[in-house]
Each structure stands twice: as C-alpha cells, then as structure tokens.
Amino acid sequence: MFTINQMTLVVIKREGKRVSFSSDSRIIFGDAGHMDKGIKLFAVPFRIKEPASKREDLDKWAYQSQFGIAVVGSSINAYSVKDAISEVLNNITAVTNLSDVSIPTIGSLILKVYKAVSEDLAPILHKGGLCEIIFGGYCLATRKIRVLRFFPTINEENITYDFQEILPDDGVMFFGSGSKYGVEINEAEKDLTPLQIIKKVIVSEKDKAVGGALQHGAFNEDMFKISGVVERQFNKEGELIKQTKYRRGFIVENEKEDAMKPPYLFIAYGYQPMDFTLD
C-alpha cells in the first residue's frame, strides 16, 4: 500500500488581502541523513497572450506576473512537477476572448503535468515518490489571490490525482509531517506567525524531518515574491542573544563587505523579520 512521505512543514496563511507561504528547509534521505538547504518555496513566472489579430501581436504578452508554489513530500517528484508547471505558466495563450483564465482552469492544466510526473514515479519510488503541491496566483477572473492544493488519493494499490481550492477566506493551513505539531502550537498560541510556529516545531525536535532555516514568500498585490528571513533570538529576559539572516536555506554573512570586493556584485533581497524567544 502506498503512503505519502511528507517530510516537511509548510504553512499557508490568508489574512485579508495578504497570502503568505512559509516552510522549513530540511530534506530527508531515509536513514542516510538529511540536508538543510532544500528549497521548498518558489516564485514562478506567469505569462498569458491574448488572441493575435495581426502578426506583430504574436510576441506580445497581455499579462505577466509571478505565482507561488510550495512543495511537500518527495523532492524528486516535487521539483520535476515544479519545473513542468513553470513551463506551462510561462506559455499560456487565450485562444478566444471567451477563454477561461481563472485560477481553477489554470489548475486543470497544472493537474495534467502533476499527474503525468507522479504516475511515472509512483511505481518506481512507491511511498517515496508522491508529493503535494500548493499553488497560489492572482486570478484574472475574480481579481483576488486564489490557492490550490494538488494531492494524491490512495486506495489500496490505486492512486488518483486531483486538486481543490483552499483558503478562500481568512485562515491558516499546515502541510507535511510536522503539520500535527504546527496545529497544536497554533491552537495554543494564536498570536504566533507562521514562521514562529515553524521555528517552535524545529526547536522542539518532535519531528526530525522538520529543520534547517526558515523560508518565506508572500503576495504583494498580484505578484508573489520570495524574501529572506532575519531571525532574532531572545532569552527569557528579553535580551537579544543572536541574529541570523537567511536566504532560503543559506546563512547570509558579510554580504555588504563582499559586494565591495571583485566581482563587485550584490544579491538584492528583501527580508522578513522573525522574533523568537527561547523557552
């Protein structure tokens, strides 16, 4: 019987017009160990063309933006699906003025590649070959951010693949092996942010598959943007004891000093603050 190998913690939150994706950075390799630099959140370009009335319009895009993706489960499956989704979203053409450009309809296109990749990997990797994809984007039909979850349904030896819309209203949802602990913390401390919840799960070590640096992305109007995280740790007395900047799973050190040396390049990145008090 197949089971989903969800080794992560992804938190999706909607609060008013703001929709955010947060995660840890750990990837597990069975009994061989783990890596704490796994990228689990992605900003994917989205482009759509309208029907062309003349040749000059063939290379014009009617709308361009970035959508958000979070991956849960098999990294091989998830990364393959993510690349396939990127190809789909980057090359959409409306055939007529009546074409449906809503997020659920775009989801039906994504489902085809999600299903195709998963069906090829499941017989080979079995329980290690399944993943879930959380996808969010600005819906041109309803003029709001909408979020879809792509998932497998497992019945004995049979697996089907589908998607559903989630979080149409304010709320928070947890995905992955650490979701149980995330829910418990959220219910006990309602004022915590998704990043603070994930950090508490990591520090608790209740789920060894959740770890590494924090990752964060959010929609700014219609555009999904990944940001780094500035983690400030305080002791019980409220004193700052450590501050660390992360860019995905990587620690950022001496970036300004390094930019003043050859080849004189600087990686421009926004950072999301996250304060954490040690128990």
Side-chain angles (χ1 to χ4, degrees):
M1 183 175 179
F2 292 93
T3 57
I4 303 175
N5 199 6
Q6 295 182 322
M7 298 182 181
T8 189
L9 178 53
V10 167
V11 183
I12 313 295
K13 184 174 183 178
R14 180 188 290 274
E15 189 173 22
K17 293 184 178 180
R18 179 176 172 79
V19 178
S20 67
F21 290 22
S22 304
S23 80
D24 69 322
S25 298
R26 179 162 293 179
I27 295 178
I28 296 289
F29 298 94
D31 296 331
H34 65 266
M35 176 185 76
D36 282 343
K37 290 181 172 59
I39 297 177
K40 300 181 181 181
L41 305 181
F42 302 89
V44 181
F46 172 73
R47 302 187 302 180
I48 187 166
K49 291 181 180 179
E50 292 180 340
S53 58
K54 51 185 182 295
R55 183 177 295 275
E56 301 90 84
D57 294 337
L58 291 175
D59 294 325
K60 292 182 180 179
W61 298 97
Y63 178 76
Q64 300 185 61
S65 186
Q66 285 189 157
F67 288 174
I69 292 177
V71 298
V72 179
S74 165
S75 57
I76 295 175
N77 190 339
Y79 292 163
S80 298
V81 171
K82 187 272 297 182
D83 288 342
I85 291 174
S86 299
E87 188 68 20
V88 168
L89 295 180
N90 210 26
N91 294 281
I92 293 180
T93 299
V95 180
T96 75
N97 292 329
L98 299 177
S99 294
D100 184 350
V101 294
S102 68
I103 288 297
T105 298
I106 292 171
S108 67
L109 300 179
I110 293 174
L111 179 63
K112 293 179 180 179
V113 296
Y114 170 68
K115 180 180 178 181
V117 173
S118 299
E119 286 181 338
D120 274 5
L121 283 175
I124 301 169
L125 300 178
H126 300 288
K127 66 180 182 179
L130 296 175
C131 77
E132 291 189 22
I133 301 290
I134 313 302
F135 164 80
Y138 180 76
C139 182
L140 292 171
T142 60
R143 304 295 177 181
K144 64 176 290 187
I145 304 301
R146 300 174 73 174
V147 184
L148 307 178
R149 169 192 172 227
F150 295 81
F151 59 96
T153 298
I154 308 155
N155 297 304
E156 297 302 328
E157 297 299 318
N158 182 45
I159 306 176
T160 58
Y161 303 92
D162 206 345
F163 73 94
Q164 63 181 180
E165 184 166 3
I166 61 173
L167 288 176
D169 302 306
D170 285 5
V172 60
M173 293 186 70
F174 300 84
F175 303 90
S177 62
S179 59
K180 170 186 175 183
Y181 305 110
V183 169
E184 290 176 354
I185 292 170
N186 182 56
E187 290 178 347
E189 302 179 70
K190 293 291 187 180
D191 59 336
L192 294 182
T193 68
L195 289 173
Q196 290 171 325
I197 292 171
I198 296 172
K199 184 65 179 181
K200 275 186 169 287
V201 174
I202 292 173
V203 171
S204 73
E205 297 186 336
K206 291 181 177 179
D207 187 339
K208 301 294 185 180
V210 181
L214 301 172
Q215 299 182 37
H216 183 77
F219 283 92
N220 181 8
E221 299 296 336
D222 63 340
M223 182 85 66
F224 184 79
K225 294 185 178 181
I226 299 290
S227 65
V229 175
V230 177
E231 179 184 302
R232 301 195 307 168
Q233 289 192 9
F234 296 84
N235 59 21
K236 294 179 180 179
E237 287 70 41
E239 299 170 325
L240 179 64
I241 57 176
K242 185 179 181 181
Q243 178 170 300
T244 310
K245 292 178 71 175
Y246 295 102
R247 187 185 300 125
R248 304 292 184 96
F250 297 84
I251 296 177
V252 179
E253 296 179 309
N254 306 318
E255 58 179 346
K256 292 184 178 179
E257 293 86 344
D258 291 343
M260 301 307 295
K261 305 172 185 176
Y264 305 108
L265 297 176
F266 179 78
I267 300 175
Y269 229 73
Y271 287 88
Q272 177 74 19
M274 195 286 292
D275 292 348
F276 182 76
T277 301
L278 295 174
D279 293 331

